[in-house]
Amino acid sequence: MKRIKILFAVIIITINAQAKSFDEILHEIAANNPILASSVAQNEAEVNTLKSENNLPDPAIDFEHKWGKEGRKWGVGVSQSIEWPGVYSTRNEAIKSASQAIEFLNKANYLDKLVEVKLLLIDIINVRKQLALVNQLDAQMDSLTLKYQHGLKHGEVTKLDINKLKIEKIAISREIKSLNNQLEMLKASLINENGGNNISLIISSLNNYPNEIILPEEKYEELLREFDPQIAQYRSMAKTYELNAKVIKMSKHPGFSLGYKLENELGNYFNGFSIGISVPVFSQKHKSDAISASQKALTLQNKAFEIERLAQLKAQRSNAIALYQEMEEYRPTLECHDNLTLLKKALDGGQISLITYIQEVNFFLEAQQNYLNVEYRYFQILATLNKYALLDK
């Protein structure tokens, strides 16, 4: 009974894993990624540092002790410095805008990580598809070898035929080993991305590429301007610079210091308030020019980024269309017919020789691998082309 319960538990877990969509797996891996978590924590620390810049200065406590021929006197005081009214509220708005920019930076890092992991999963799917193809051929060669070994005993085939099959088997085995090595390296990368967690259920679900389509060109431009977190970060930073410029302008007004003092002079006590004024003649020098230059640089960076990204999207879309058309040219010949089975029937029927069979098998194997490579490159491009769709999941 206990084994049955365990079996049912494994089945339920497997079904749940298979029920997860491709994008759900991506978000799950990103949530487990330690580098991404470290980046978020580091950016959060930066936000807290920004907030601390708007704190009031620490109160100042002073003490004095003097002596002379007539006796001694001492005094103690406490004071608090404050900037011009309105500086703190404006700086607080600037900090909120800068914090928002950091949030968009986190979002940009998260999106980049999703795309990075998606490309890794696509790599794994590609290798698994290549392995399935070569394993199919390997199984057919094993079956054919058994048949020819039987034929050798009865004098129906020659030792030369057996040797041809053995040579072909060595080449296929080498290809399988190479693909398995690639798969193990990709699995190791996925374990790192997944925070060291088990990936067996994820790997078992990676049989097909995600279901994606190519969108119209104007749609990609719209998605870029509306959803790209890098552009949103530039906007928030531009607002931050604008508010910081206001802070600097207001900081040119005098600041104040309010305090209380208690003094003892020759046994007589005196107490009262003190007021000070600071005139920022030197401290704000060149700061406005620096803000203005930074704001100008940011505007140019944003424009350059948008132009470059639009050009990338256009080029990627054109490349994706070309690859899709090439896939469609391959598909009727390779997907609708089992060429290896047809060749096997022709060999069994005596229509072709063994050497012709091997040559034709290699021809169709190369064609099928070419098709898989085109398909692989197509989905690689779609992974980056359709990246903004990942933010809605």
Side-chain angles (χ1 to χ4, degrees), residues 174-192:
R174 182 170 58 246
E175 182 71 13
I176 290 174
K177 287 178 183 177
S178 176
L179 289 169
N180 277 321
N181 288 336
Q182 290 180 45
L183 185 59
E184 289 304 312
M185 292 177 65
L186 292 171
K187 285 180 180 179
S189 298
L190 185 58
I191 289 172
N192 289 334

Side-chain angles (χ1 to χ4, degrees), residues 280-310:
V281 177
F282 305 108
S283 62
Q284 304 303 321
K285 192 175 182 181
H286 302 305
K287 286 187 177 180
S288 295
D289 293 338
I291 289 286
S292 178
S294 297
Q295 197 168 10
K296 183 179 179 180
L298 183 70
T299 302
L300 293 173
Q301 286 174 11
N302 188 17
K303 186 177 180 180
F305 173 81
E306 192 171 326
I307 292 172
E308 181 183 6
R309 188 71 186 110
L310 281 172

Side-chain angles (χ1 to χ4, degrees), residues 82-84 87 91 247-256 276-288:
I82 57 172
E83 295 184 80
W84 184 263
V87 170
R91 186 183 289 128
V247 170
I248 290 172
K249 185 177 181 180
M250 298 177 76
S251 296
K252 291 179 180 179
H253 297 302
F256 302 93
I277 298 177
S278 62
V279 182
V281 177
F282 305 108
S283 62
Q284 304 303 321
K285 192 175 182 181
H286 302 305
K287 286 187 177 180
S288 295

Side-chain angles (χ1 to χ4, degrees), residues 164-207:
K164 291 175 184 177
L165 288 172
K166 286 182 178 179
I167 292 172
E168 188 64 19
K169 174 71 175 178
I170 291 171
I172 294 172
S173 296
R174 182 170 58 246
E175 182 71 13
I176 290 174
K177 287 178 183 177
S178 176
L179 289 169
N180 277 321
N181 288 336
Q182 290 180 45
L183 185 59
E184 289 304 312
M185 292 177 65
L186 292 171
K187 285 180 180 179
S189 298
L190 185 58
I191 289 172
N192 289 334
E193 295 290 355
N194 200 35
N197 296 312
N198 188 283
I199 60 168
S200 56
L201 293 178
I202 295 175
I203 293 294
S204 65
S205 67
L206 298 178
N207 299 312

